[in-house]
Amino acid sequence: MTASLALEAARRRTFAIISHPDAGKTTLTEHLLLAGDAIRQAGAVRARGEARRTRSDWMKIEKERGISVSASVMTFEHEGLQFNLLDTPGHEDFSEDTYRTLTAADAAVMVLDAAKGIEPQTLKLFEVCRLRDIPIITFINKMDREALDPFALLDEIGSKLALDPAPLYWPAGSGNRFRGVIDLREQAFQPYTRSGDAEAPVKLGSNAMARVLQPDEQEEVEEGAELVMGASKPFDPQSFLEGHMTPVLFGSALRHFGVNELLGVLGAYAPPPKTVAVTRAGIETHVAPGDAEVTGFVFKVQANMDPNHRDRIAFVSLCSGKFERGMKLKVQNTGRQLSVHNPMLFLASDRELAEEAFAGDVIGIPNHGVLRVGDSLSETGAVRFAGLPNFAPEILRRVRVKDPLKAKHLKRALDGLAEEGVTQLFRPMIGADFIVGAVGQLQFEVMADRLSNEFQLEVIFEPSPYAEARWISGAKADLEDFMGKHRPQMAQDIDEAPVFLGKTAWEVGYVADRYPKVAFLKTRERG
Ligand code: G4P
């Protein structure tokens, strides 16, 4: 363990923002970058997003898949800490990559629209965080608009997410009556300004309070704060790290209110990169951020946005050591060695060549398909991280090739794409169908495009009789009994793991109730 390596890792906070479309993720990202001096003015991130959407001369699919490489990770410094903000594509870009990106995050900020509370996509992303025990900070946004009652919002977090909300701040009003927040730890009032220029906090109970609040407002907010402190559990950093509790902040990303406080909470409580379980030459062990050997894993692969270049960029989450440009790294499963001469580090302004990077950082490695999602990289080539999980797809389609003579090619191509993590492939045990699954519609378009361009296969996606896929696990005899009775609905995934295909979620629930000894899983870690 090297002290300076451990120190570098300890000052890093690698996090993602999860939210439902329109809750304010882009706006918050922008204001975090502003606070970190990484951009000069609000609008930069959005403008780039729009430029992306309007540049119609890009090859269509590249544009759709693009999601701007440089915005995939944004790095900025603030008060001695380095923040790495991982972009989790939302909206129509929603895909398995969105989920996988969370595997590289040490913490997540959950943005809720104060008028809407928890929405469906927040819930989906939250479930992935829970699965990986990622601690979550809640930012209740848009307080400058009419909001739901803050107590109701806390209740919703408690009941829908089974997470203890621990407010660190408490709002005084909302919309036109939004006056600011009480810092419950400091017992001070932070006045809200529309301009975004921060005013100095005022001690509760001091005479200066009369300057910032009317007497009735003051009474109301102080009563509310007292009530919430009595009613909610006090913030416990350990419980937060274990994923049982979420600190809650209230603010307005658009008005840059509560953004510095959010950075403060991330800096104080979000964990630095952690020690990770690995196998080394087949033996179970750990990799710590301060270990000398450079190790990391690929969590995402993206095609180059420039259609003239067929290379891909593999996003590698570093887990230990000091990475230096020009370094040689080995891929564990294939034994191939890469000289990493042109790695990219993602500063918010643009991409730059990475000279050095540490645990918690993400580097982009351009390559021609040598690196795949889930690959483990290290100097010795002996370290293997647990495989990245596959998530039960939400859309299933039967795929057919237009030219029946090419059925064999189709199998090989689909295997390759599933191996790469573009989509999932299920082979029913009976019949010759190929069923492909994805969590977002866009994945099918990417797939059709790549099948056509790279394999010269024109395919048709047809509705599948199935809507749900679950990996099954249990004792051998129980599995065999279950599979024997449900053969027409059984399939295998790319690793030949058994999968039950259900016509509806209701059917999966019904079958699961009747076979309590068989587990029906929504994720599977690839070994
Ligand atoms: P997303 O990335 O989560 O989809 O949300 P985004 O930041 O794009 O925000 C969605 C809309 O909500 C935007 O308005 C944005 O300006 C607004 N918004 C975000 N944060 C706040 C906030 O704290 N207060 C208020 N009042 N509005 C907020 P839009 O009209 O869709 O876009 P635009 O015309 O402002 O660009």
Side-chain angles (χ1 to χ4, degrees):
M1 160 91 75
T2 316
S4 63
L5 286 181
L7 281 177
E8 276 296 343
R11 69 176 200 91
R12 278 163 166 77
R13 299 291 180 274
T14 302
F15 70 104
I17 301 181
I18 60 173
S19 67
H20 190 82
D22 274 349
K25 188 179 76 165
T26 312
T27 311
L28 182 63
T29 299
E30 218 160 67
H31 283 264
L32 285 168
L33 296 178
L34 271 178
D37 266 339
I39 53 172
R40 294 270 164 265
Q41 67 187 73
V45 175
R46 185 183 310 275
R48 188 164 55 197
E50 268 150 25
R52 236 168 35 221
R53 279 189 281 277
T54 51
R55 271 179 55 184
S56 53
D57 54 345
W58 276 349
M59 208 173 95
K60 181 169 165 274
I61 205 72
E62 290 287 358
K63 182 187 72 178
E64 286 168 340
R65 222 188 319 176
I67 318 160
S68 175
V69 167
S70 53
S72 292
V73 191
M74 288 161 272
T75 294
F76 58 94
E77 298 262 339
H78 185 69
E79 300 194 337
L81 296 176
Q82 180 174 319
F83 292 88
N84 297 319
L85 169 48
L86 304 174
D87 188 33
T88 47
H91 304 228
E92 68 278 12
D93 301 333
F94 200 76
S95 72
E96 218 154 319
D97 272 349
T98 309
Y99 288 163
R100 290 209 189 97
T101 298
L102 290 171
T103 62
D106 294 313
V109 172
M110 175 170 73
V111 180
L112 303 182
D113 181 329
K116 298 197 173 141
I118 292 161
E119 298 176 85
Q121 202 149 300
T122 334
L123 201 59
K124 272 204 282 194
L125 291 161
F126 167 79
E127 280 171 5
V128 179
C129 291
R130 165 147 291 172
L131 206 69
R132 315 284 302 179
D133 291 326
I134 298 171
I136 292 173
I137 297 168
T138 303
F139 185 82
I140 298 184
N141 189 31
K142 305 198 187 179
M143 289 305 295
D144 58 313
R145 286 197 189 159
E146 283 308 313
L148 296 173
D149 174 42
F151 284 102
L153 287 163
L154 295 189
D155 273 353
E156 200 177 25
I157 295 170
S159 60
K160 283 203 181 154
L161 308 182
L163 201 58
D164 286 330
L168 300 181
Y169 294 84
W170 193 247
S174 69
N176 288 336
R177 293 188 61 241
F178 185 49
R179 295 287 174 266
V181 292
I182 290 184
D183 179 340
L184 296 172
R185 288 165 301 171
E186 298 294 327
Q187 290 290 302
F189 186 74
Q190 181 66 56
Y192 165 65
T193 55
R194 281 182 66 85
S195 65
D197 296 332
E199 269 189 33
V202 178
K203 270 280 171 212
L204 289 192
S206 71
N207 293 339
M209 282 295 283
R211 209 168 26 84
V212 289
L213 287 179
Q214 301 292 331
D216 58 326
E217 290 174 332
Q218 191 176 336
E219 203 173 304
E220 195 183 319
V221 64
E222 287 184 359
E223 258 176 27
E226 228 167 83
L227 209 63
V228 75
M229 284 206 295
S232 49
K233 292 187 184 165
F235 177 60
D236 172 5
Q238 192 55 33
S239 181
F240 159 65
L241 291 178
E242 288 166 4
H244 305 308
M245 180 173 266
T246 179
V248 180
L249 296 92
F250 293 82
S252 164
L254 189 65
R255 305 276 170 216
H256 203 81
F257 186 79
V259 176
N260 285 319
E261 285 75 6
L262 176 61
L263 277 177
V265 169
L266 273 164
Y269 305 119
K274 52 186 178 300
T275 296
V276 189
V278 296
T279 58
R280 185 184 286 277
I283 296 163
E284 285 185 21
T285 175
H286 292 90
V287 159
D291 290 354
E293 183 180 2
V294 173
T295 67
F297 63 88
V298 179
F299 65 92
K300 169 173 169 172
V301 173
Q302 195 162 36
N304 197 316
M305 292 205 303
D306 180 348
N308 296 322
H309 292 105
R310 294 217 60 85
D311 59 339
R312 312 233 151 87
I313 292 171
F315 291 80
V316 177
S317 170
L318 291 177
C319 299
S320 65
K322 177 181 178 180
F323 170 85
E324 286 176 282
R325 193 152 82 87
M327 190 164 225
K328 290 190 171 65
L329 291 176
K330 266 192 191 157
V331 189
Q332 187 270 336
N333 50 339
T334 58
R336 289 180 76 162
Q337 182 159 287
L338 291 169
S339 286
V340 192
H341 290 299
N342 48 358
M344 285 181 282
L345 194 63
F346 301 92
L347 296 176
S349 41
D350 223 327
R351 43 174 139 166
E352 288 190 0
L353 281 185
E355 292 300 332
E356 56 179 47
F358 299 87
D361 290 342
V362 171
I363 54 171
I365 304 183
N367 70 98
H368 295 284
V370 176
L371 292 176
R372 294 180 163 188
V373 166
D375 278 352
S376 302
L377 289 173
S378 60
E379 288 174 83
T380 56
V383 174
R384 181 187 176 101
F385 292 85
L388 288 192
N390 273 341
F391 296 89
E394 290 174 19
I395 314 168
L396 293 171
R397 293 277 181 272
R398 197 192 338 227
V399 54
R400 262 193 327 112
V401 62
K402 284 184 187 162
D403 176 354
L405 294 176
K406 289 190 168 168
K408 235 198 206 142
H409 294 114
L410 179 65
K411 179 181 177 329
R412 210 173 316 132
L414 291 176
D415 274 343
L417 291 181
E419 194 55 61
E420 222 181 282
V422 175
T423 42
Q424 295 186 47
L425 177 63
F426 302 107
R427 302 287 318 272
M429 287 180 177
I430 300 176
D433 277 350
F434 295 101
I435 306 256
V436 287
V439 301
Q441 182 62 40
L442 180 64
Q443 281 172 269
F444 290 107
E445 289 165 36
V446 169
M447 189 173 186
D449 177 72
R450 290 194 51 188
L451 286 170
S452 160
N453 282 322
E454 294 170 33
F455 300 93
Q456 287 73 50
L457 291 169
E458 298 305 323
V459 296
I460 307 166
F461 292 108
E462 295 175 338
S464 144
Y466 307 109
E468 302 284 336
R470 295 287 183 281
W471 285 276
I472 58 168
S473 93
K476 194 163 176 253
D478 294 324
L479 286 184
E480 278 174 2
D481 172 48
F482 177 81
M483 289 176 4
K485 290 182 180 137
H486 295 86
R487 271 189 82 74
Q489 277 177 268
M490 288 307 302
Q492 289 187 328
D493 74 0
I494 172 111
D495 301 317
E496 297 185 0
V499 177
F500 173 71
L501 299 174
K503 294 189 182 73
T504 58
W506 181 87
E507 188 195 27
V508 173
Y510 176 77
V511 171
D513 280 347
R514 289 181 51 221
Y515 290 86
K517 288 189 181 153
V518 176
F520 292 79
L521 306 172
K522 282 184 133 181
T523 56
R524 190 176 86 83
E525 301 263 345
R526 298 194 62 199

